Amino acid sequence: MRKLLTLVVALAILTGAYSYSFGVPAPLLAMVTGTADGPAEAEETAPAARPGGGGGPGGRGGRGGRGGGANTTTVVTQALEMRPHESVISAVGTASALRSAEVVSDVAGTVVETNLIANREVTAGDVLVRLDARAEVLNLEVATAQLEQAIATVARYERLQATGTSTVTEVSLSEARLAQRLAEADVGLAELAVEERIIRAPISGRLALSDVEVGDTLSANSVLVSIDQSSSLVIEFELPERAVGLLAEAEDVLATTSTFTGRVFTASIISFDSRIDDVTRSVTVEALIDNADGLLWPGMTFAVRLTQESEPLPVVPSTAITWSREGSSVWIDAGGVAEQVPVTILYRQNDSAWISSDIARGAMVVTEGAHKLREGAAISTGAGERPRAAEGAGRNAEDDGAPEDDGAPEADAGTRPRDRENGQRGRNAGAEEADPSADATKPEDAT
């Protein structure tokens, strides 16, 4: 018994909810009202029972409508717009100099001279550090002397052979020439050893800080100072995997730094990685920014924005999108009839959705009330309806025979009892003054 009672109550609730949302079906209305001629007569008599024009199933303009006729749903529509979508992806990157080099000592030695002033502009080939080269200079002198001796020996052998002296053979002359070549090589090695004691700038740029001082003993491969060529900077940043499609077409990015608030710098994308990092799921991108004025420094942090504007696409409010088992769709007003059109959502931003669909530009899309619609249902946007309060006021004015006065306030609503009494007395006094018969009877009453 309890299960049966529960089932009856649930059925009653469902019936009431359906009737409230979609209106009472015409056959059921005919059965309830006892109309003998069927649904057609019920539909004809229903509007007559409600002179206000809001008749029909549902008691208020049919199924959810207001004055829209029987089985008409009132909705809000909006013309379909075509608008491009701007995709914006933000990232944080660090700038580095386009060319940077570390000055390294190739040999060990003691520093005897330094020109390592921080932030000083240098040119490629400028002397930065000198090491003690006394031993190397002496070795160069020895090699030079041996070379001179070898050259003199070869010259003497050639003169003797030219005079026909048999004491100088071809073998002796060959050995003298070989000794000369070896002496020349020794001189070259000695000159190279002397040159290695002088450390020069490999590129042009600005010197960084260095802690090398005169008297320091350096070992081989010691880093002395760094040089940055910052006429152009390279910003390295990472973009998420979804930005890979944008990189193929993007050329520039916008960069800002907290050092110069309000200024926006344009950087050109010069390269990006060929694979996605398997840990961060991002791709590394490098962008070049011009710094001819030297305003920006290597190591600065930049907020980077990659923007891309698409072709004009159909855009609708998010409230127009409905979902079902088949996917997303929108409802359009096809001559007063609801028509469901499937769509594919491409982008979402705030309260708008860019879609891909076959809907014509300018078509009226239902933006509010779409959840109440069914395929082929009659819809109305409520255009041209008068407010119920205005209609009621107009009917009352017509019944009283007085013209409508939209600017006059209602007398009963804003008048206090004493004011109404005074007004009644005034009207009575005015009636007595305007009635001549009353004035004529006063003398007779006096006599």
Side-chain angles (χ1 to χ4, degrees), residues 89-289:
I89 300 179
S90 301
V92 177
T94 304
S96 59
L98 177 61
R99 295 187 62 190
S100 182
E102 290 185 342
V103 181
V104 179
S105 174
D106 295 331
V107 295
T110 303
V111 178
V112 296
E113 180 185 345
T114 62
N115 296 304
L116 303 177
I117 302 175
N119 291 315
R120 182 172 70 92
E121 292 288 340
V122 296
T123 306
D126 289 351
V127 176
L128 302 179
V129 176
R130 291 181 183 271
L131 301 179
D132 186 7
R134 291 175 295 178
E136 285 71 17
V137 171
L138 294 176
N139 291 333
L140 177 60
E141 292 180 359
V142 171
T144 303
Q146 292 176 351
L147 176 59
E148 293 175 354
Q149 183 180 4
I151 292 173
T153 300
V154 170
R156 186 173 65 253
Y157 284 176
E158 289 176 350
R159 287 196 305 269
L160 292 175
Q161 190 178 31
T163 58
T165 305
S166 59
T167 56
V168 179
T169 62
E170 290 292 336
V171 176
S172 300
L173 183 57
S174 278
E175 291 178 350
R177 290 174 177 172
L178 178 59
Q180 178 182 349
R181 293 177 58 188
L182 293 176
E184 291 175 352
D186 291 339
V187 171
L189 291 175
E191 291 177 347
L192 180 60
V194 173
E195 184 64 27
E196 287 179 344
R197 317 303 286 186
I198 303 174
I199 302 175
R200 303 177 183 274
I203 62 173
S204 299
R206 180 178 295 179
L207 293 177
L209 287 173
S210 175
D211 56 357
V212 176
E213 300 291 344
V214 175
D216 292 345
T217 301
L218 303 179
S219 59
N221 299 323
S222 297
V223 178
L224 307 181
V225 70
S226 297
I227 302 177
D228 293 325
Q229 194 177 85
S230 56
S231 58
S232 296
L233 298 181
V234 177
I235 305 175
E236 183 175 310
F237 54 95
E238 294 186 354
L239 293 179
E241 186 175 353
R242 62 187 177 91
V244 173
L246 301 179
L247 290 175
E249 301 178 0
E251 297 180 356
D252 299 329
V253 296
L254 301 179
T256 57
T257 176
S258 58
T259 307
F260 302 100
T261 305
R263 294 195 58 177
V264 179
F265 303 91
T266 302
S268 302
I269 297 177
I270 56 175
S271 64
F272 50 87
D273 205 349
S274 60
R275 63 178 61 187
I276 303 295
D277 189 273
D278 55 355
V279 177
T280 62
R281 309 308 305 170
S282 59
V283 58
T284 303
V285 184
E286 292 183 347
L288 183 66
I289 183 171

Side-chain angles (χ1 to χ4, degrees), residues 401-412:
E404 296 181 14
D405 187 3
D406 295 339
E410 297 182 0
D412 295 340

